[in-house]
Amino acid sequence: MSTIKERIATIQKRITTEFEKTTFSKKPTLLAVSKIKPAELVLEAYEAGHRDFGENYVKELHQKAQDVEKSDIRWHFIGHLQSNKAKLLCSTKNLYMMQTVHSIKIARLLNKHCQEREEPLRVMIQINTSGEENKSGCDPENCHEIIQFILNDCPNLKFVGIMMIGFFAQENDFKRLSQLKEKISKQLQIDSNEIELSMGMSNDYETAIKYGSTCVRVGSLIFGQRNYN
Ligand SMILES: *Cc1c(COP(=O)(O)O)cnc(C)c1O
């Protein structure tokens, strides 16, 4: 059995290898997705030098951020946010980024609850590339309106990129997201190197890097399979 430290090192090495084959400018961040896993494992990864962690559930994240209180840890929220949890999310210690903004309504709420932060909360827009009804995320056609709203009306938020969840992601989805990035860059006149792409998970992060992912979200490869009860 390998340790968490060894697994992270192996994945980092693969990220570097894939990234070096590309012409992109930003090496992808490895987001260690710790949902459902105990705080002790997060601490183990932290002590191995890892800093970026992803969580899907607001209450769980809030609790873990208290249990693993480190001034330089970076928590990323990557789950579906219900309006009534926005306040709790924004009060979470060391919340670094919110990756799943899918509507103007959620952006407005986050902006409201982030007034007290020392720096704006980094946000990504979650895109539904597959067009499946039951998946959350905004329609690719509408996402520039949300981004525009954040840029114009949300001083407590900072737009940093777009993300996609594809549990059965195809290369086509990665391609679509990277094309959408170029489109947004033109529409809103933002340097495309300044727009991050969060895509790729345990089973496809290397492929996602080929298409320009700047943030791969890896859970089970680091922490083991999750047992939902
Ligand atoms: C659970 C989850 C992941 C990690 O999934 P693995 O297959 O365990 O790597 C990544 N992104 C999101 C949004 C998730 O919910």
Side-chain angles (χ1 to χ4, degrees):
M1 270 292 280
S2 54
T3 63
I4 284 181
K5 183 177 182 170
E6 287 163 351
R7 285 178 231 155
I8 289 176
T10 303
I11 298 166
Q12 289 285 22
K13 212 178 283 172
R14 293 202 178 143
I15 289 174
T16 304
T17 305
E18 276 313 312
F19 173 66
E20 282 172 354
K21 291 184 204 160
T22 73
T23 56
F24 300 113
S25 56
K26 184 187 175 292
K27 189 175 162 199
T29 301
L30 172 59
L31 189 60
V33 178
S34 47
K35 65 174 176 235
I36 328 271
K37 297 292 178 180
E40 292 76 56
L41 296 188
V42 172
L43 194 60
E44 192 177 329
Y46 179 90
E47 280 170 354
H50 201 73
R51 294 294 176 266
D52 290 277
F53 295 89
E55 287 281 341
N56 291 56
Y57 308 102
V58 176
K59 281 187 182 160
E60 184 183 346
L61 165 60
H62 196 81
Q63 185 61 48
K64 267 184 216 171
Q66 279 176 348
D67 294 345
V68 189
E69 206 192 328
K70 302 285 181 189
S71 61
D72 60 348
I73 200 165
R74 294 185 287 268
W75 292 105
H76 299 238
F77 185 75
I78 58 173
H80 181 75
L81 181 66
Q82 293 162 305
S83 308
N84 62 359
K85 301 270 172 55
K87 189 176 176 187
L88 186 64
L89 177 67
C90 293
S91 71
T92 299
K93 285 192 182 116
N94 298 102
L95 178 68
Y96 180 78
M97 196 185 291
M98 156 64 179
Q99 296 201 358
T100 48
V101 175
H102 56 272
S103 66
I104 286 183
K105 182 181 162 200
I106 286 290
R108 187 182 285 122
L109 266 175
L110 291 170
N111 183 59
K112 174 178 152 197
H113 292 299
C114 283
Q115 269 167 18
E116 309 282 299
R117 284 176 61 94
E118 284 171 19
E119 53 171 21
L121 177 64
R122 294 162 189 79
V123 296
M124 289 192 186
I125 310 302
Q126 183 187 347
I127 312 290
N128 181 347
T129 44
S130 61
E132 287 169 47
E133 285 288 334
N134 59 351
K135 276 200 190 156
S136 50
C138 80
D139 188 314
E141 295 301 319
N142 301 336
C143 80
H144 68 280
E145 291 167 15
I146 306 177
I147 298 169
Q148 193 80 68
F149 178 76
I150 291 170
L151 296 174
N152 294 344
D153 298 289
C154 300
N156 306 315
L157 305 182
K158 179 178 163 51
F159 167 72
V160 295
I162 53 180
M163 78 89 84
M164 173 193 82
I165 303 175
F167 287 99
F168 307 98
Q170 310 280 332
E171 288 199 37
N172 256 340
D173 290 318
F174 296 142
K175 209 180 287 177
R176 243 179 256 155
L177 202 69
S178 82
Q179 287 165 349
L180 182 61
K181 171 176 120 154
E182 296 309 324
K183 190 172 158 195
I184 291 168
S185 159
K186 286 202 191 83
Q187 276 176 325
L188 300 175
Q189 302 193 333
I190 306 171
D191 179 350
S192 88
N193 289 319
E194 299 291 316
I195 303 176
E196 291 208 35
L197 283 182
S198 172
M199 58 186 194
M201 316 200 317
S202 287
N203 60 353
D204 55 15
Y205 69 95
E206 287 163 298
T207 311
I209 293 169
K210 276 192 212 148
Y211 289 97
S213 175
T214 63
C215 176
V216 292
R217 309 180 308 261
V218 178
S220 42
L221 264 191
I222 297 173
F223 297 111
Q225 290 301 322
R226 290 176 293 275
N227 297 311
Y228 294 93
N229 293 307

